[in-house]
Amino acid sequence: MSFDWNNFDAVQMNVASWPLGEPDMSGLVRTEWEIRTLAELPDGLLLDHLNLHQLSGDMSFDLHVLGPRQLSMTCMCPEEMPGPVRLGAASVAWRFVDEQVARLWMIGEYPRATLPEFMRQRRELVERIPASIREAWVWLSLIRSEPLLAEVAERSSQAEYLISVLQDSPKSPDLAEYFSELESRLSVRAETGLSRPLELRRILRAAVEFGVRGASDGSVDSIAYATERLFDALFLLERSLGVEVSGGLSMEEDRAWFDDAVSLAEFESLSPGVIDRSRSFCIQLVDFCSRESAQFALRNE
């Protein structure tokens, strides 16, 4: 789908850049990418059936299994090929692997959720959700992150109440009213000079703004953008605290948005599993935000 990536406030994580590769005598550059998956790969997984060579006329790919949740991809491309073009070609291959082999989590040092091809994948999945229930998808993401939003806004979490409202009706005006009021409490503070904040307030405020707007006008771009910013906030916070992000809340959020989209598209309603996943996530996030290290980081915001 067509999407203007420059049309939004740039409160997002830095997108990936292509690392230095190893040039050879033929004018090609070899670059290795370590890839981690969201779940363990099947025992004895064979990759011979993949036609990766058909994905790009300028770049070749070689994929190998390194471990239960680890792959390695070798990319070969002309030395004169610009970095952004390399990244675009490789992103197509990574998405192919994500959809044909196993859902990916990290590609090199970058979470796959931050790469443009996976942003397109997110929007395409959201488009498959019937318009009549689509706003439920972004409310689920906002509710999962509500304990963090409430903590930064210095108010008590109302996640359980919001879940009950969502179950009654995804179109309840109480949802938009609550999150709009929460957004107003997320004004960006001036830096004190004592330490550099993570800019969580800016990221979270953008997430709520676009989420509420998208729930109102049905914009796929807006609600997808909102969930990407919620992921960014969780990932940045966990990484800043030295938390192992594999197995952390940001990884769970990367699973949840996808599973929610698939469920809503298939059943056209909020299944018990979707509700239970959000409730469990909220409980974990409340516990995470109550930790001394998280409290210190959030007070600096």
Side-chain angles (χ1 to χ4, degrees):
M1 64 179 292
S2 175
F3 182 53
D4 181 4
W5 300 105
N6 298 312
N7 195 33
F8 293 111
D9 182 23
V11 283
Q12 60 189 61
M13 295 173 57
N14 293 330
V15 296
S17 59
W18 195 265
L20 293 174
E22 301 176 8
D24 63 15
M25 299 300 293
S26 64
L28 298 177
V29 175
R30 172 192 179 97
T31 308
E32 296 279 352
W33 290 88
E34 179 185 320
I35 299 172
R36 284 179 276 168
T37 59
L38 282 172
E40 290 196 3
L41 298 165
D43 291 336
L45 176 66
L46 298 177
L47 303 174
D48 298 341
H49 66 287
L50 296 180
N51 295 317
L52 295 175
H53 64 279
Q54 297 180 354
L55 299 176
S56 172
D58 300 306
M59 182 177 287
S60 63
F61 311 98
D62 193 15
L63 188 67
H64 298 282
V65 177
L66 297 182
R69 285 180 49 200
Q70 191 174 18
L71 298 165
S72 173
M73 178 179 279
T74 302
C75 303
M76 298 287 292
C77 67
E79 193 169 1
E80 65 273 11
M81 191 175 185
V85 179
R86 297 182 189 185
L87 194 61
S91 292
V92 172
W94 293 329
R95 177 175 173 179
F96 182 83
V97 173
D98 179 88
E99 295 175 346
Q100 300 296 323
V101 179
R103 288 203 62 220
L104 308 185
W105 164 230
M106 298 287 291
I107 300 171
E109 62 181 289
Y110 306 104
R112 71 173 190 96
T114 63
L115 297 166
E117 190 60 37
F118 290 100
M119 295 179 190
R120 294 186 182 92
Q121 179 195 57
R122 185 183 303 244
R123 284 155 178 78
E124 290 169 9
L125 286 168
V126 174
E127 282 189 321
R128 297 174 191 172
I129 303 172
S132 60
I133 193 72
R134 191 175 291 158
E135 70 266 34
W137 181 78
V138 74
W139 292 135
L140 285 164
S141 287
L142 283 165
I143 290 171
R144 279 195 299 273
S145 290
E146 190 273 346
L148 174 59
L149 289 161
E151 188 70 37
V152 176
E154 300 179 353
R155 62 175 298 172
S156 299
S157 172
Q158 301 295 318
E160 188 59 42
Y161 162 73
L162 294 168
I163 289 173
S164 67
V165 172
L166 181 64
Q167 284 181 286
D168 289 340
S169 173
K171 298 185 183 299
S172 171
D174 291 352
L175 294 166
E177 181 181 340
Y178 176 83
F179 282 106
S180 294
E181 195 275 334
L182 202 59
E183 180 198 347
S184 70
R185 294 171 173 259
L186 294 172
S187 57
V188 180
R189 295 174 176 174
E191 292 187 30
T192 63
L194 297 177
S195 58
R196 182 177 177 82
L198 299 172
E199 297 195 1
L200 288 183
R201 283 178 177 269
R202 292 186 67 238
I203 295 172
L204 291 172
R205 189 169 187 178
V208 177
E209 176 190 350
F210 281 90
V212 172
R213 182 190 305 174
S216 173
D217 64 17
S219 168
V220 170
D221 288 338
S222 290
I223 63 175
Y225 178 84
T227 62
E228 287 161 353
R229 301 293 72 77
L230 293 171
F231 170 84
D232 284 356
L234 289 167
F235 187 86
L236 286 169
L237 180 58
E238 286 187 315
R239 190 173 61 180
S240 74
L241 298 177
V243 174
E244 174 52 55
V245 291
S246 291
L249 288 166
S250 55
M251 185 176 183
E252 286 304 310
E253 174 58 27
D254 202 28
R255 286 195 182 100
W257 76 261
F258 182 96
D259 292 342
D260 285 353
V262 171
S263 177
L264 288 169
E266 180 178 356
F267 299 109
E268 301 185 14
S269 64
L270 288 163
S271 69
V274 165
I275 296 297
D276 290 344
R277 176 166 53 241
S278 290
R279 180 176 285 115
S280 174
F281 190 97
C282 287
I283 292 171
Q284 294 178 67
L285 186 53
V286 167
D287 177 70
F288 179 83
C289 290
S290 68
R291 298 177 190 176
E292 184 177 353
S293 57
Q295 287 281 308
F296 180 82
L298 295 175
R299 281 197 299 270
N300 187 47
E301 287 296 312

